[in-house]
Amino acid sequence: MSKGKNPSMKDPEMYQALRDDGVSGYKAAGISNAAAERGRSAVGRKGGKSKDYEDWTVPELKEKAKEIGLTGYSKQRKDELIHSWHNP
């Protein structure tokens, strides 16, 4: 095995592209391996699209903040809640 190669990585180019986009290593590996096994278009069709955070209600945003483990969100305004996810 050559240095830097992972034999379990089935689509290293896709993995690296996802990592460059900021996706975690674990998630990038899962997506790239699934794409290699089932085809990129099949993986691309899976799941849905979430509405933009600007379209969420404040209670929805606060519930999401709680789910992802943020603190200090209870008195934040909508724009502050959204900003806190992008800049934890």
Side-chain angles (χ1 to χ4, degrees):
M1 176 169 72
S2 64
K3 185 177 181 181
K5 297 286 182 174
N6 183 339
S8 65
M9 186 61 53
K10 296 175 179 58
D11 190 338
E13 290 176 15
M14 179 180 239
Y15 172 84
Q16 190 57 52
L18 290 165
R19 293 293 289 146
D20 291 345
D21 284 342
V23 176
S24 73
Y26 180 80
K27 189 171 184 177
I31 293 168
S32 64
N33 286 346
E37 291 174 11
R38 297 189 305 253
R40 289 183 178 195
S41 62
V43 172
R45 286 191 301 269
K46 185 178 177 187
K49 176 155 177 20
S50 176
K51 59 185 178 179
D52 291 331
Y53 289 135
E54 288 79 13
D55 297 331
W56 290 31
T57 65
V58 172
E60 289 173 323
L61 292 166
K62 288 184 177 181
E63 181 62 30
K64 182 65 175 180
K66 182 178 180 180
E67 286 176 19
I68 63 175
L70 293 178
T71 59
Y73 60 84
S74 64
K75 295 185 185 205
Q76 289 183 339
R77 295 186 327 255
K78 185 174 186 171
D79 60 328
E80 294 170 322
L81 286 163
I82 295 168
H83 180 76
S84 66
W85 289 328
H86 298 292
N87 302 296

XYZ file of all heavy atoms in Angstrom:
683
model
N 0.853 -1.179 0.000
C 0.000 0.000 0.000
C 0.893 1.235 0.000
O 1.826 1.349 0.765
C -0.898 -0.043 1.242
C -1.751 1.182 1.382
S -3.039 1.058 2.625
C -2.118 1.123 4.133
N 0.577 2.189 -0.852
C 1.377 3.404 -0.910
C 1.000 4.349 0.224
O -0.101 4.310 0.754
C 1.196 4.094 -2.264
O -0.139 4.500 -2.409
N 1.950 5.197 0.579
C 1.753 6.132 1.679
C 0.609 7.093 1.370
O 0.486 7.604 0.271
C 3.046 6.918 1.910
C 2.977 7.821 3.108
C 4.282 8.514 3.332
C 4.188 9.405 4.554
N 5.404 10.118 4.810
N -0.254 7.328 2.385
C -1.345 8.269 2.223
C -2.600 7.673 1.609
O -3.595 8.349 1.465
N -2.583 6.399 1.224
C -3.756 5.763 0.621
C -4.507 4.976 1.678
O -3.920 4.322 2.521
C -3.343 4.809 -0.511
C -2.660 5.491 -1.664
C -3.656 6.257 -2.485
C -2.951 6.894 -3.671
N -3.851 7.534 -4.567
N -5.803 5.042 1.638
C -6.656 4.299 2.541
C -7.409 3.275 1.709
O -8.225 3.646 0.869
C -7.623 5.253 3.244
C -8.499 4.559 4.259
O -8.688 3.354 4.201
N -9.048 5.323 5.161
N -7.162 1.977 1.925
C -7.797 0.967 1.087
C -9.317 0.932 1.217
O -9.995 0.454 0.318
C -7.171 -0.339 1.570
C -6.705 -0.060 2.952
C -6.327 1.396 2.957
N -9.870 1.441 2.311
C -11.323 1.439 2.470
C -11.979 2.656 1.821
O -13.197 2.724 1.740
C -11.697 1.367 3.950
O -11.263 2.522 4.619
N -11.196 3.605 1.347
C -11.723 4.802 0.692
C -11.980 4.462 -0.771
O -11.061 4.232 -1.536
C -10.729 5.956 0.810
C -11.248 7.267 0.286
S -12.709 7.884 1.125
C -12.180 7.836 2.810
N -13.257 4.430 -1.151
C -13.630 3.988 -2.489
C -13.664 5.107 -3.526
O -13.587 4.855 -4.709
C -14.968 3.258 -2.422
C -14.871 1.989 -1.587
C -16.214 1.344 -1.414
C -16.155 0.070 -0.615
N -15.605 0.182 0.702
N -13.798 6.341 -3.095
C -13.802 7.481 -4.022
C -13.029 8.634 -3.385
O -13.608 9.583 -2.860
C -15.239 7.894 -4.342
C -15.335 8.900 -5.477
O -14.332 9.597 -5.758
O -16.408 9.004 -6.090
N -11.686 8.541 -3.400
C -10.874 9.547 -2.713
C -11.036 10.964 -3.273
O -10.919 11.937 -2.536
C -9.446 9.047 -2.861
C -9.481 7.988 -3.894
C -10.883 7.491 -3.993
N -11.326 11.086 -4.561
C -11.502 12.422 -5.138
C -12.747 13.101 -4.573
O -12.720 14.280 -4.214
C -11.586 12.346 -6.655
C -10.257 11.974 -7.297
C -10.379 11.816 -8.800
O -11.395 12.250 -9.380
O -9.444 11.261 -9.392
N -13.840 12.356 -4.462
C -15.057 12.919 -3.895
C -14.847 13.228 -2.413
O -15.289 14.271 -1.926
C -16.244 11.970 -4.060
C -17.531 12.514 -3.464
S -18.904 11.379 -3.668
C -19.993 12.426 -4.602
N -14.172 12.330 -1.713
C -13.871 12.548 -0.297
C -13.131 13.873 -0.112
O -13.513 14.696 0.716
C -13.032 11.390 0.247
C -12.513 11.634 1.644
C -13.308 11.357 2.751
C -11.242 12.147 1.854
C -12.844 11.592 4.038
C -10.769 12.387 3.138
C -11.569 12.101 4.223
O -11.100 12.342 5.490
N -12.095 14.088 -0.901
C -11.305 15.305 -0.757
C -12.113 16.545 -1.109
O -12.001 17.580 -0.452
C -10.037 15.244 -1.610
C -9.067 16.361 -1.310
C -8.647 16.396 0.160
O -8.213 15.385 0.705
N -8.780 17.542 0.801
N -12.968 16.448 -2.116
C -13.804 17.587 -2.496
C -14.767 17.950 -1.364
O -14.971 19.132 -1.059
C -14.584 17.272 -3.773
N -15.334 16.933 -0.725
C -16.226 17.184 0.402
C -15.471 17.806 1.573
O -15.956 18.735 2.221
C -16.910 15.880 0.840
C -17.946 15.334 -0.141
C -18.278 13.883 0.188
C -19.195 16.192 -0.144
N -14.284 17.293 1.858
C -13.457 17.846 2.940
C -13.106 19.301 2.646
O -13.139 20.141 3.535
C -12.185 17.017 3.132
C -12.410 15.623 3.651
C -12.933 15.599 5.075
N -11.841 16.007 5.952
C -11.995 16.698 7.068
N -13.177 17.062 7.480
N -10.954 17.036 7.802
N -12.777 19.597 1.394
C -12.461 20.976 1.002
C -13.662 21.903 1.200
O -13.498 23.098 1.440
C -12.004 21.037 -0.458
C -10.651 20.384 -0.677
O -9.926 20.131 0.319
O -10.313 20.096 -1.845
N -14.883 21.329 1.116
C -16.101 22.109 1.332
C -16.463 22.223 2.804
O -17.477 22.813 3.154
C -17.274 21.483 0.583
C -17.226 21.752 -0.907
O -16.499 22.675 -1.331
O -17.928 21.049 -1.658
N -15.650 21.614 3.681
C -15.878 21.743 5.114
C -16.647 20.608 5.761
O -17.011 20.689 6.930
N -16.906 19.536 5.030
C -17.614 18.387 5.582
C -16.652 17.598 6.467
O -15.468 17.462 6.148
C -18.167 17.497 4.438
C -18.823 16.248 4.966
C -19.139 18.297 3.573
N -17.164 17.057 7.581
C -16.311 16.279 8.485
C -15.755 15.054 7.770
O -16.346 14.558 6.803
C -17.101 15.824 9.718
O -18.005 14.790 9.383
N -14.631 14.547 8.248
C -14.005 13.375 7.650
C -14.913 12.164 7.672
O -15.012 11.412 6.697
N -15.597 11.960 8.791
C -16.495 10.815 8.940
C -17.631 10.887 7.922
O -17.936 9.913 7.229
C -17.049 10.793 10.365
C -17.987 9.654 10.641
C -17.497 8.383 10.919
C -19.357 9.848 10.627
C -18.355 7.324 11.170
C -20.231 8.805 10.892
C -19.724 7.550 11.154
O -20.571 6.507 11.404
N -18.265 12.051 7.810
C -19.377 12.219 6.885
C -18.908 12.148 5.435
O -19.563 11.523 4.595
C -20.087 13.546 7.154
C -21.373 13.720 6.393
C -22.122 14.941 6.866
C -23.452 15.059 6.172
N -24.221 16.204 6.671
N -17.764 12.756 5.140
C -17.224 12.727 3.775
C -16.924 11.297 3.350
O -17.184 10.913 2.208
C -15.966 13.592 3.682
N -16.386 10.495 4.263
C -16.086 9.096 3.945
C -17.367 8.328 3.655
O -17.442 7.558 2.693
C -15.321 8.443 5.095
N -18.398 8.546 4.464
C -19.665 7.851 4.249
C -20.308 8.213 2.927
O -20.784 7.339 2.195
N -20.302 9.493 2.607
C -20.906 9.948 1.354
C -20.120 9.425 0.155
O -20.696 8.899 -0.800
C -21.001 11.485 1.312
C -21.989 11.984 2.364
C -21.403 11.972 -0.081
C -21.947 13.485 2.591
N -18.808 9.560 0.201
C -18.004 9.144 -0.953
C -18.054 7.632 -1.155
O -18.104 7.156 -2.290
C -16.563 9.641 -0.822
O -15.929 9.060 0.294
N -18.055 6.861 -0.069
C -18.141 5.409 -0.214
C -19.513 4.984 -0.723
O -19.623 4.077 -1.545
C -17.806 4.711 1.100
C -16.324 4.753 1.395
O -15.510 5.056 0.529
N -15.958 4.467 2.621
N -20.574 5.632 -0.250
C -21.919 5.325 -0.739
C -22.036 5.661 -2.217
O -22.631 4.916 -2.988
C -22.963 6.093 0.068
N -21.455 6.773 -2.636
C -21.496 7.166 -4.039
C -20.748 6.159 -4.906
O -21.183 5.836 -6.013
C -20.904 8.557 -4.212
N -19.628 5.656 -4.407
C -18.860 4.674 -5.168
C -19.630 3.363 -5.304
O -19.564 2.705 -6.344
C -17.520 4.424 -4.491
N -20.374 2.994 -4.279
C -21.114 1.734 -4.302
C -22.413 1.822 -5.107
O -22.750 0.910 -5.842
C -21.437 1.291 -2.877
C -20.210 0.860 -2.110
C -20.514 0.569 -0.647
O -21.706 0.506 -0.265
O -19.546 0.416 0.118
N -23.169 2.916 -4.934
C -24.497 3.022 -5.545
C -24.556 3.977 -6.731
O -25.580 4.059 -7.396
C -25.506 3.465 -4.491
C -25.667 2.470 -3.375
C -26.811 2.829 -2.463
N -26.708 4.172 -1.918
C -26.391 4.448 -0.657
N -26.127 3.485 0.177
N -26.346 5.690 -0.238
N -23.505 4.726 -6.946
C -23.504 5.727 -8.009
C -23.795 7.100 -7.454
O -24.610 7.247 -6.547
N -23.120 8.089 -7.969
C -23.252 9.456 -7.446
C -24.662 9.996 -7.577
O -25.157 10.678 -6.693
C -22.260 10.379 -8.137
C -20.842 10.120 -7.710
C -19.885 11.087 -8.352
N -18.523 10.816 -7.865
C -17.527 11.650 -8.022
N -17.709 12.798 -8.641
N -16.331 11.345 -7.562
N -25.341 9.693 -8.680
C -26.687 10.238 -8.857
C -27.662 9.639 -7.854
O -28.568 10.317 -7.381
C -27.183 10.025 -10.281
O -27.270 8.651 -10.577
N -27.500 8.363 -7.488
C -28.381 7.737 -6.499
C -28.192 8.376 -5.138
O -29.157 8.619 -4.412
C -28.116 6.231 -6.421
N -26.959 8.663 -4.768
C -26.684 9.285 -3.480
C -27.192 10.723 -3.484
O -27.718 11.211 -2.490
C -25.179 9.218 -3.142
C -24.859 10.030 -1.904
C -24.753 7.778 -2.963
N -27.090 11.402 -4.599
C -27.547 12.777 -4.712
C -29.049 12.924 -4.560
O -29.543 13.944 -4.126
N -29.810 11.883 -4.897
C -31.266 11.934 -4.781
C -31.742 11.674 -3.361
O -32.856 12.014 -2.999
C -31.900 10.897 -5.709
C -31.858 11.262 -7.167
C -32.726 10.333 -7.986
N -32.325 8.939 -7.869
C -31.459 8.323 -8.656
N -30.877 8.989 -9.620
N -31.178 7.052 -8.492
N -30.914 11.052 -2.534
C -31.316 10.696 -1.177
C -31.472 11.956 -0.330
O -30.720 12.901 -0.455
C -30.267 9.782 -0.548
C -30.668 9.268 0.814
C -29.633 8.339 1.367
C -30.032 7.915 2.759
N -29.016 7.153 3.424
N -32.423 11.925 0.569
C -32.604 13.045 1.482
C -33.439 14.148 0.878
O -33.983 14.032 -0.198
N -33.543 15.216 1.613
C -34.343 16.344 1.166
C -33.579 17.630 1.349
O -32.402 17.634 1.671
N -34.273 18.708 1.136
C -33.644 20.000 1.313
C -34.356 20.721 2.443
O -35.571 20.841 2.452
C -33.750 20.821 0.032
C -33.185 22.211 0.185
C -32.735 22.767 -1.112
C -32.214 24.169 -1.067
N -31.771 24.724 0.153
N -33.592 21.172 3.382
C -34.140 21.935 4.488
C -34.366 23.367 4.024
O -33.625 23.891 3.210
C -33.152 21.923 5.653
O -33.602 22.722 6.693
N -35.408 23.978 4.581
C -35.623 25.386 4.231
C -34.512 26.233 4.844
O -33.859 25.831 5.804
C -36.996 25.854 4.695
C -37.263 25.735 6.185
C -38.695 26.107 6.506
C -38.958 25.926 7.983
N -40.303 26.276 8.365
N -34.288 27.414 4.280
C -33.258 28.315 4.779
C -33.556 28.708 6.221
O -34.718 28.851 6.610
C -33.200 29.588 3.918
C -32.670 29.318 2.526
O -31.879 28.379 2.354
O -33.064 30.067 1.610
N -32.505 28.911 7.008
C -32.686 29.295 8.405
C -33.500 30.576 8.545
O -34.236 30.749 9.502
C -31.336 29.474 9.105
C -30.608 28.182 9.342
C -29.256 28.073 9.069
C -31.252 27.060 9.852
C -28.570 26.894 9.296
C -30.581 25.874 10.081
C -29.238 25.794 9.803
O -28.566 24.634 10.018
N -33.400 31.473 7.585
C -34.153 32.719 7.647
C -35.658 32.458 7.616
O -36.452 33.281 8.059
C -33.751 33.655 6.498
C -32.373 34.258 6.648
C -31.234 33.312 6.252
O -31.489 32.264 5.622
O -30.090 33.614 6.601
N -36.068 31.292 7.080
C -37.472 30.940 6.989
C -37.978 30.200 8.229
O -39.168 29.932 8.353
C -37.742 30.086 5.751
C -37.454 30.832 4.459
O -37.579 32.073 4.446
O -37.095 30.180 3.466
N -37.060 29.834 9.145
C -37.452 29.143 10.369
C -38.043 30.144 11.360
O -37.705 31.322 11.358
C -36.235 28.487 11.027
C -35.658 27.318 10.299
C -35.632 27.094 8.957
C -34.988 26.213 10.887
N -34.980 25.921 8.681
C -34.568 25.358 9.850
C -34.678 25.870 12.197
C -33.877 24.178 10.085
C -33.978 24.694 12.424
C -33.603 23.857 11.375
N -38.890 29.640 12.248
C -39.402 30.476 13.334
C -38.366 30.501 14.455
O -37.486 29.633 14.519
C -40.717 29.916 13.887
O -40.464 28.643 14.489
C -41.776 29.788 12.798
N -38.488 31.475 15.343
C -37.561 31.563 16.478
C -37.637 30.301 17.344
O -36.601 29.748 17.720
C -37.786 32.857 17.290
C -36.969 32.843 18.571
C -37.438 34.074 16.444
N -38.840 29.780 17.666
C -38.881 28.531 18.447
C -38.176 27.355 17.742
O -37.519 26.549 18.391
C -40.375 28.254 18.620
C -41.005 29.602 18.543
C -40.184 30.354 17.532
N -38.298 27.274 16.411
C -37.594 26.220 15.664
C -36.083 26.406 15.778
O -35.334 25.436 15.958
C -38.000 26.244 14.187
C -39.396 25.770 13.913
C -39.810 25.964 12.464
O -39.425 26.984 11.837
O -40.546 25.109 11.956
N -35.638 27.640 15.656
C -34.209 27.923 15.761
C -33.675 27.588 17.151
O -32.583 27.029 17.290
C -33.938 29.393 15.428
C -34.179 29.801 13.975
C -34.203 31.314 13.849
C -33.131 29.194 13.065
N -34.439 27.914 18.177
C -34.004 27.610 19.540
C -33.968 26.109 19.795
O -33.076 25.604 20.479
C -34.905 28.313 20.554
C -34.651 29.808 20.578
C -35.467 30.513 21.633
C -35.110 31.995 21.650
N -35.844 32.739 22.663
N -34.917 25.376 19.229
C -34.909 23.912 19.371
C -33.671 23.320 18.683
O -33.021 22.427 19.213
C -36.186 23.317 18.773
C -36.283 21.820 18.885
C -36.297 21.302 20.314
O -36.782 22.005 21.212
O -35.805 20.188 20.535
N -33.342 23.849 17.513
C -32.148 23.383 16.801
C -30.894 23.707 17.606
O -29.984 22.879 17.696
C -32.078 24.026 15.413
C -30.907 23.580 14.589
C -30.993 22.115 14.240
C -29.868 21.728 13.297
N -29.909 20.318 12.943
N -30.836 24.889 18.188
C -29.690 25.276 19.014
C -29.525 24.306 20.172
O -28.413 23.882 20.499
C -29.863 26.707 19.520
N -30.640 23.936 20.769
C -30.605 22.969 21.877
C -30.093 21.615 21.396
O -29.249 20.992 22.038
C -32.012 22.826 22.464
C -32.104 21.888 23.633
C -33.534 21.845 24.166
C -33.657 20.910 25.339
N -35.040 20.865 25.845
N -30.592 21.157 20.238
C -30.190 19.860 19.674
C -28.689 19.785 19.410
O -28.076 18.742 19.620
C -30.928 19.597 18.361
C -32.370 19.241 18.506
C -33.053 19.093 17.164
O -32.362 18.915 16.134
O -34.290 19.166 17.131
N -28.112 20.874 18.923
C -26.686 20.820 18.561
C -25.770 21.237 19.698
O -24.569 21.308 19.536
C -26.391 21.632 17.277
C -26.695 23.116 17.461
C -27.147 21.068 16.104
C -26.308 23.977 16.278
N -26.370 21.494 20.870
C -25.560 21.733 22.061
C -25.058 23.146 22.275
O -24.112 23.353 23.028
N -25.679 24.119 21.634
C -25.285 25.506 21.869
C -25.801 25.970 23.227
O -26.795 25.449 23.733
C -25.832 26.418 20.771
C -25.267 26.216 19.372
C -25.943 27.172 18.400
C -23.770 26.425 19.345
N -25.138 26.925 23.802
C -25.584 27.509 25.061
C -25.750 29.011 24.881
O -25.197 29.599 23.956
C -24.573 27.242 26.200
O -23.312 27.813 25.834
C -24.418 25.760 26.460
N -26.535 29.621 25.782
C -26.708 31.069 25.745
C -27.624 31.552 24.647
O -27.595 32.727 24.279
N -28.473 30.700 24.131
C -29.329 31.073 23.011
C -30.720 31.559 23.429
O -31.453 32.111 22.623
C -29.494 29.899 22.039
C -30.107 28.669 22.678
C -31.477 28.529 22.800
C -29.295 27.648 23.145
C -32.030 27.422 23.401
C -29.831 26.528 23.739
C -31.203 26.416 23.859
O -31.745 25.312 24.443
N -31.086 31.378 24.680
C -32.469 31.632 25.094
C -32.925 33.076 24.879
O -34.097 33.313 24.615
C -32.679 31.230 26.551
O -31.894 32.030 27.395
N -32.042 34.039 24.974
C -32.434 35.446 24.802
C -31.968 36.030 23.467
O -32.109 37.222 23.227
C -31.886 36.283 25.950
C -32.502 35.887 27.270
C -32.067 36.772 28.401
C -32.662 36.196 29.666
N -32.843 37.099 30.719
N -31.428 35.166 22.591
C -30.942 35.672 21.315
C -32.097 35.946 20.355
O -33.122 35.270 20.378
C -29.983 34.664 20.670
C -28.664 34.559 21.377
C -27.719 33.606 20.663
O -28.128 32.757 19.888
N -26.435 33.749 20.956
N -31.882 36.944 19.512
C -32.824 37.238 18.439
C -32.554 36.277 17.277
O -31.556 35.578 17.240
C -32.655 38.681 17.971
C -33.021 39.713 19.033
C -32.967 41.134 18.476
N -31.958 41.331 17.463
C -30.803 41.973 17.636
N -30.503 42.498 18.811
N -29.943 42.109 16.646
N -33.452 36.272 16.331
C -33.376 35.352 15.200
C -32.036 35.458 14.468
O -31.380 34.451 14.219
C -34.537 35.628 14.238
C -34.629 34.661 13.100
C -35.895 34.934 12.295
C -36.080 33.882 11.236
N -37.390 33.996 10.577
N -31.626 36.664 14.128
C -30.368 36.827 13.396
C -29.165 36.372 14.225
O -28.199 35.835 13.690
C -30.188 38.262 12.910
C -30.161 39.284 14.032
O -30.827 39.073 15.064
O -29.482 40.315 13.866
N -29.228 36.534 15.537
C -28.136 36.092 16.409
C -28.082 34.570 16.484
O -26.999 33.984 16.515
C -28.307 36.665 17.813
C -28.162 38.173 17.872
C -28.571 38.746 19.210
O -29.551 38.281 19.825
O -27.892 39.702 19.635
N -29.247 33.927 16.511
C -29.283 32.461 16.523
C -28.663 31.891 15.253
O -27.845 30.976 15.292
C -30.737 31.969 16.656
C -31.373 32.115 18.017
C -32.883 31.989 17.911
C -30.807 31.086 18.964
N -29.059 32.436 14.132
C -28.512 31.963 12.854
C -27.015 32.184 12.805
O -26.262 31.295 12.405
C -29.229 32.666 11.674
C -30.710 32.258 11.630
C -28.527 32.350 10.359
C -31.556 33.102 10.705
N -26.561 33.334 13.229
C -25.133 33.641 13.219
C -24.352 32.700 14.128
O -23.223 32.300 13.810
C -24.911 35.099 13.655
C -23.475 35.498 13.674
N -22.764 35.762 12.523
C -22.595 35.661 14.690
C -21.523 36.075 12.844
N -21.404 36.019 14.160
N -24.941 32.299 15.257
C -24.216 31.443 16.195
C -23.912 30.072 15.621
O -22.933 29.432 16.004
C -24.983 31.311 17.520
O -26.192 30.624 17.344
N -24.713 29.567 14.684
C -24.413 28.270 14.055
C -23.249 28.361 13.100
O -22.489 27.434 12.950
C -25.620 27.754 13.288
C -26.713 27.313 14.190
C -26.572 26.758 15.422
C -28.097 27.437 13.970
N -27.803 26.513 15.962
C -28.756 26.921 15.100
C -28.855 27.930 12.919
C -30.123 26.868 15.208
C -30.221 27.880 13.036
C -30.845 27.364 14.157
N -23.153 29.485 12.447
C -22.067 29.649 11.471
C -20.759 30.077 12.132
O -19.702 29.971 11.524
C -22.476 30.658 10.400
C -23.665 30.203 9.622
N -23.631 29.131 8.758
C -24.949 30.651 9.586
C -24.815 28.950 8.221
N -25.634 29.868 8.713
N -20.829 30.558 13.369
C -19.642 31.023 14.091
C -19.708 30.583 15.544
O -19.811 31.423 16.436
C -19.552 32.557 14.013
C -19.508 33.055 12.601
O -18.564 32.760 11.899
N -20.519 33.776 12.204
N -19.663 29.247 15.803
C -19.794 28.774 17.191
C -18.650 29.192 18.067
O -17.595 29.535 17.656
C -19.859 27.267 17.051
C -19.382 26.942 15.688
C -19.476 28.179 14.865
